[in-house]
Amino acid sequence: MATIESINKDKLPSHVAVIMDGNGRWAQRKGNSRIFGHKNGVVAVRETVEAASELGIKYLTLYAFSTENWNRPREEVDALMSLLIVTIEKELESLLENNVCLHVIGDTQSLPKSVQKQLFRALDKTRNNTGLNLVLALSYSGRWEILNAMKKLASDVRKKNLEVDDLSCDSFVQYLTTSEYPDPELLIRTSGEYRISNFMLWQIAYAELYFTEVLWPDFRKEDFFDAILDFQKRERRFGKISEQVNTESVN
Ligand code: FPP
């Protein structure tokens, strides 16, 4: 397993995004309820946040609750919302001590008022922190975000604030909820599932994808470091050829 010392600090991804998957299966394998799995998933959240902070990564996005997750049994949704409230409240002190700035992307208006209250309080208290930017994706999906962006864009065209011919990838990005953050360079998904599940569809265009069999509640710092080491071995060509990329990195 990788250690922090084995990682080249000059070649870190600026933004790592994580699809945390496998809580339910982890719990079921132990003969426990799915909710028990989510509770243990919080341990892995803490480990991942600490690992990213210790490495000096600037942005970490965690897919904590998707638009589609609202369709889960009511009991599970309620338990996840309660877990969010408790976790944000419990971890706030540690976020402040570790200089972590909390952000959120997603349809926050659809979250229960009690979650919104804890969340906005934590966003406010951590907003001047200058270390890791921790982005929680809550009631989020890539299609929701793109559609939302299109609605705002169409409204700007209608109000004549935007000319359709002036649209570019750079100007479109301004309508996304992630406009302030760089695109993820590395996307990790746990639990041996090889899917994107409607996550950051625009932003991961050039992300390196890393899949691990580890179920989310078992994910530890060393697993995060393994993913970073793997990323550092990849050649990122962005559509160019190997020779071009190697010449550019020398110059
Ligand atoms: C996916 O596992 C996990 C989730 C939908 C919820 C993730 C939430 C947490 C880890 C806890 C709270 C997080 C924060 C950021 C405070 P799954 O239920 O889909 O597992 P399965 O695929 O095995 O059924």
Side-chain angles (χ1 to χ4, degrees), residues 8-19:
N8 178 354
K9 310 293 178 307
D10 297 325
K11 246 183 105 181
L12 291 172
S14 57
H15 186 169
V16 180
V18 188
I19 302 177

Side-chain angles (χ1 to χ4, degrees), residues 156-174:
D156 274 354
V157 170
R158 199 173 48 222
K159 290 186 211 145
K160 306 224 177 296
N161 292 333
L162 178 74
E163 287 290 334
V164 171
D165 288 343
D166 291 342
L167 250 185
S168 63
C169 283
D170 286 345
S171 59
F172 180 71
V173 159
Q174 302 311 312

Side-chain angles (χ1 to χ4, degrees), residues 3-43:
T3 57
I4 194 162
E5 292 76 28
S6 55
I7 291 169
N8 178 354
K9 310 293 178 307
D10 297 325
K11 246 183 105 181
L12 291 172
S14 57
H15 186 169
V16 180
V18 188
I19 302 177
M20 311 183 284
D21 196 15
N23 292 353
R25 274 165 288 163
W26 183 88
Q28 274 158 356
R29 279 179 205 174
K30 292 189 170 350
N32 245 305
S33 70
R34 297 179 51 82
I35 294 157
F36 180 71
H38 296 313
K39 284 186 180 157
N40 280 276
V42 176
V43 180

Side-chain angles (χ1 to χ4, degrees), residues 20-26 28 34 37-39 41-42 45 62-66 69 72 76 80 83-84 87-88 136 191 193 215-216:
M20 311 183 284
D21 196 15
N23 292 353
R25 274 165 288 163
W26 183 88
Q28 274 158 356
R34 297 179 51 82
H38 296 313
K39 284 186 180 157
V42 176
V45 169
L62 302 178
Y63 201 8
F65 194 85
S66 73
N69 286 153
R72 290 194 174 195
E76 184 169 341
L80 275 167
L83 188 59
L84 271 172
T87 307
I88 295 169
L136 293 184
S191 90
E193 302 288 354
L215 300 176
W216 181 250

Side-chain angles (χ1 to χ4, degrees), residues 163-232:
E163 287 290 334
V164 171
D165 288 343
D166 291 342
L167 250 185
S168 63
C169 283
D170 286 345
S171 59
F172 180 71
V173 159
Q174 302 311 312
Y175 290 91
L176 296 174
T177 53
T178 52
S179 60
E180 306 283 306
Y181 325 135
D183 285 344
E185 290 177 273
L186 171 63
L187 172 68
I188 300 172
R189 180 170 190 148
T190 59
S191 90
E193 302 288 354
Y194 297 82
R195 285 191 293 277
I196 300 302
S197 296
N198 211 350
F199 188 44
M200 301 187 103
L201 296 177
W202 174 280
Q203 297 88 339
I204 60 164
Y206 281 101
E208 296 296 327
L209 308 181
Y210 180 86
F211 298 98
T212 168
E213 296 292 320
V214 176
L215 300 176
W216 181 250
D218 286 332
F219 196 82
R220 292 294 174 270
K221 282 183 188 178
E222 294 72 27
D223 296 298
F224 187 79
F225 297 148
D226 273 350
I228 304 291
L229 260 190
D230 193 85
F231 169 84
Q232 294 190 330

